Amino acid sequence: MSTNKKVKSALISVFHKDGLDKIIKTLNDLGVTIYSTGGTEKFIKNLGIDVVAVEDLTSYPSILGGRVKTLHPKVFGGILSRRDNAGDIAQLSEFEIPEIDIVIVDLYPFEKTVSSDAEEQDIIEKIDIGGISLIRAAAKNFKDVICVSNMNQYDEFLQILLENNGLISLDNRKAFAAKAFGVSSNYDTAIFKYLNRDFKIATFRESFDKSSTLRYGENPHQKGYFYGNLDDLFEKLHGKELSYNNLLDVDAAVNLMNEFQEGLPTFAILKHNNACGLAQRNTLVQAYLDALAGDPQSAFGGVLIANKKIDSATAEEIHKLFCEVVIAPAYDEKAIEILKGKKNRIILIQKDIVLPKANFRTALNGVLSQEKDDITDDKSHLTQATKLHPSDKEVEDLLFASKICKHTKSNTIVLVKNKQLCASGTGQTSRVDALNQAITKANFFNLDLKGAVMASDAFFPFPDCVEIADNAGVSSVIQPGGSIKDKLSVAYCDANNMSMIFTGTRHFKH
């Protein structure tokens, strides 16, 4: 028995009508009976095409201000009936229910309404009932019915109709059913997340209805995908497609630079999710040059990000470096022309949007979820730990270092002088190792640490780190505090003319 089915009838009721006219005209040419209601019915009539009103089929009007239109046995019976079941066919005949072979339905724009800051009643009215029910019914009965559940599917569906003269295969019907349940799942998740803002029910629900297939994952033998809409965050001006590793670095870069949106021009260079260079200066070009000076080796192949418009002078300097991605809020026209000199270099304009407030990742056979670390240490958080107070300039450097430290892999130590990242020790199993790594790097690139400051993402359980830092030239320290042996580190600082301040906030990053 053939699994191809000739379509004879269609129910169409959509919110978005762009591109729908071609489908309707094709269905009409194929002799398909069309049922519709409301605005879609009027749209079809305006095309000069015959349409049967759902109200005429059900002998029941639309009621409750349009809340109930298609919820009727004569509609759902025609969709859910099994064409190879004699009992179903007999009941269709008994109750004069027509078979429905195609359901084209989309959903009220719930997420868009939420994002518009509409009143709650307006949002609730955008919770679709009839549409979601039609989608689920048609998708469930994919053996006999095809469900088109989103306007993004119009072109593919039209192509199927035209290529096969109205014959639709089981594979096509099943594929569209999978898409339909993807649509309904995403929709229900959005509603749950909206309502759950007030109740915090401990259930993990995340859904993204847009995806990108990446060249590969973290390594070439791994498949990789991105779920989400990057167009909401970036305007891409040039370059190849972002890779899995690019996206991880871009994510780290964006979150780091969010700490420096206000104030003087700031430039950061990242590699493997950590800053290898960062500086704040009166001009962006100088900020870039001093960021690069922090570690010109690691900068090769890195991701670059600025908090101000990139001008031609900065672009000229950037162009001397091989880098994967450049991100900024804007660019001069000349700067774009210069940066496009490397065909694969990815150039992004970052848009002003709010990033998610939660982080999650797979772990074992489940998911770990947490609130985003949204505490940025400032002067109001600081507690003086030592007899010697840091100078105003040192406090500025300490807070600058703390921001970088927050966005660096633990265990980490960050060394800063004059609002320039001198070096950092990243992702070490020992805090002493992280400090030694940072000092070694700073010395290798001839960065003078005399008068530099040190930031740590967590407390010092022993005084060894402050002693090593002191011997390297560090004059002031910022750390969360909280160790039962804090007094040992404080005592060393007091005895050696160093200042130390506590923030009270740990910034682990794994």
Side-chain angles (χ1 to χ4, degrees):
M1 181 178 176
S2 173
T3 59
N4 292 336
K5 288 186 175 289
K6 183 81 171 180
V7 292
K8 299 176 183 178
S9 58
L11 172 64
I12 308 175
S13 180
V14 298
F15 188 89
H16 301 99
K17 299 175 180 66
D18 294 344
L20 184 64
D21 55 334
K22 295 178 183 178
I23 291 175
I24 291 170
K25 290 174 182 177
T26 300
L27 292 174
N28 184 62
D29 291 343
L30 291 169
V32 173
T33 301
I34 300 175
Y35 300 92
S36 191
T37 186
T40 308
E41 178 191 353
K42 183 178 179 181
F43 177 82
I44 296 169
K45 285 181 177 178
N46 288 340
L47 294 174
I49 292 173
D50 291 338
V51 57
V52 179
V54 168
E55 291 85 349
D56 293 340
L57 172 64
T58 63
S59 301
Y60 222 90
S62 171
I63 62 172
L64 306 182
R67 280 189 165 197
V68 180
K69 291 183 285 191
T70 56
L71 295 168
H72 194 281
K74 281 204 171 183
V75 174
F76 282 85
I79 296 169
L80 286 165
S81 63
R82 293 158 291 188
R83 310 310 199 250
D84 59 356
N85 185 296
D88 286 7
I89 299 303
Q91 286 193 315
L92 291 187
S93 177
E94 179 184 357
F95 295 108
E96 298 181 338
I97 299 174
E99 295 177 353
I100 296 176
D101 305 317
I102 304 169
V103 173
I104 304 176
V105 178
D106 63 6
L107 301 171
Y108 293 153
F110 178 82
E111 290 177 276
K112 185 176 180 181
T113 307
V114 171
S115 65
S116 71
D117 294 324
E119 295 293 326
E120 181 167 88
Q121 187 54 44
D122 294 330
I123 293 171
I124 297 304
E125 287 304 316
K126 287 297 185 289
I127 298 178
D128 206 312
I129 302 301
I132 202 79
S133 301
L134 290 167
I135 286 172
R136 290 179 64 84
K140 175 179 179 176
N141 201 25
F142 65 82
K143 187 176 178 183
D144 297 301
V145 179
I146 187 165
C147 179
V148 181
S149 54
N150 188 291
M151 65 182 298
N152 296 330
Q153 301 165 17
Y154 286 177
D155 288 344
E156 182 183 359
F157 176 64
L158 179 61
Q159 193 66 25
I160 291 170
L161 288 176
L162 293 172
E163 288 180 354
N164 302 291
N165 198 33
L167 277 173
I168 300 180
S169 70
L170 177 60
D171 283 347
N172 287 146
R173 297 194 299 273
K174 193 170 184 178
F176 273 75
K179 294 176 184 179
F181 281 113
V183 167
S184 68
S185 173
N186 182 73
Y187 197 74
D188 286 341
T189 297
I191 296 168
F192 169 77
K193 289 178 69 177
Y194 170 74
L195 294 174
N196 198 39
R197 294 189 302 187
D198 296 330
F199 302 103
K200 308 301 181 187
I201 299 169
T203 301
F204 182 78
R205 295 284 186 276
E206 288 293 338
S207 181
F208 301 94
D209 62 357
K210 186 167 183 178
S211 66
S212 305
T213 300
L214 306 176
R215 296 196 301 274
Y216 50 82
E218 205 160 6
N219 300 292
H221 63 276
Q222 296 170 271
K223 292 181 179 179
Y225 307 89
F226 176 79
Y227 297 98
N229 190 354
L230 285 174
D231 293 338
D232 288 343
L233 182 56
F234 299 114
E235 178 185 349
K236 182 181 173 186
L237 302 180
H238 181 72
K240 61 185 179 181
E241 294 302 313
L242 287 160
S243 69
Y244 185 98
N245 292 328
N246 287 155
L247 287 166
L248 289 176
D249 283 334
V250 168
D251 176 71
V254 168
N255 281 286
L256 172 61
M257 193 53 70
N258 277 350
E259 304 282 355
F260 299 96
Q261 289 304 307
E262 304 298 328
L264 292 173
T266 306
F267 210 105
I269 305 170
L270 287 89
K271 193 75 171 287
H272 295 295
N273 312 157
N274 295 302
C276 59
L278 197 151
Q280 190 173 79
R281 294 292 183 262
N282 290 323
T283 65
L284 191 63
V285 64
Q286 194 59 52
Y288 167 73
L289 290 171
D290 287 350
L292 180 64
D295 188 347
Q297 283 186 345
S298 296
F300 182 86
V303 169
L304 281 57
I305 187 167
N307 70 341
K308 307 293 182 186
K309 178 190 283 189
I310 291 181
D311 54 24
S312 59
T314 308
E316 290 280 9
E317 294 297 332
I318 292 172
H319 192 57
K320 299 173 183 177
L321 174 73
F322 169 71
C323 58
E324 292 271 348
V325 185
V326 182
I327 309 166
Y331 301 81
D332 287 348
E333 287 188 19
K334 180 64 175 176
I336 295 172
E337 181 182 335
I338 293 166
L339 293 174
K340 283 184 176 180
K342 298 288 178 66
K343 68 175 183 178
N344 287 329
R345 179 184 286 146
I346 301 166
I347 306 172
L348 302 175
I349 293 176
Q350 183 181 341
K351 300 176 184 178
D352 185 17
I353 72 165
V354 177
L355 293 172
K357 298 294 185 182
N359 299 325
F360 57 88
R361 62 167 74 170
T362 59
L364 301 175
N365 60 341
V367 173
L368 282 171
S369 178
Q370 66 173 354
E371 295 177 344
K372 192 171 185 177
D373 182 357
D374 60 358
I375 293 178
T376 297
D377 298 325
D378 61 34
K379 289 182 180 180
S380 67
H381 299 152
L382 305 182
T383 301
Q384 184 66 35
T386 53
K387 295 175 183 177
L388 179 65
H389 286 243
S391 67
D392 290 344
K393 180 176 176 298
E394 284 176 325
V395 169
E396 287 186 2
D397 272 354
L398 288 165
L399 291 174
F400 188 88
S402 178
K403 291 177 181 179
I404 301 171
C405 196
K406 171 183 170 182
H407 294 275
T408 305
K409 296 288 186 179
S410 299
N411 287 314
T412 185
I413 292 290
V414 169
L415 303 177
V416 162
K417 184 177 179 180
N418 298 327
K419 293 188 177 178
Q420 178 191 24
L421 172 61
C422 297
S424 60
T426 63
Q428 299 301 303
T429 54
S430 158
R431 200 160 302 281
V432 171
D433 287 347
L435 175 56
N436 284 327
Q437 181 190 54
I439 292 170
T440 300
K441 287 186 71 173
N443 290 337
F444 183 81
F445 294 114
N446 298 313
L447 293 168
D448 182 13
L449 293 180
K450 186 173 178 57
V453 304
M454 174 173 73
S456 174
D457 58 339
F459 62 63
F460 298 113
F462 303 103
D464 45 7
C465 279
V466 289
E467 181 177 357
I468 295 168
D470 176 34
N471 292 333
V474 169
S475 62
S476 190
V477 180
I478 186 170
Q479 58 130 326
S483 170
I484 60 174
K485 295 183 178 180
D486 276 344
K487 60 184 180 181
L488 298 179
S489 295
V490 171
Y492 180 90
C493 290
D494 284 339
N496 291 276
N497 203 37
M498 294 178 73
S499 60
M500 178 183 286
I501 52 178
F502 292 160
T503 66
T505 303
R506 189 180 74 184
H507 291 295
F508 270 168
K509 186 172 187 285
H510 295 105

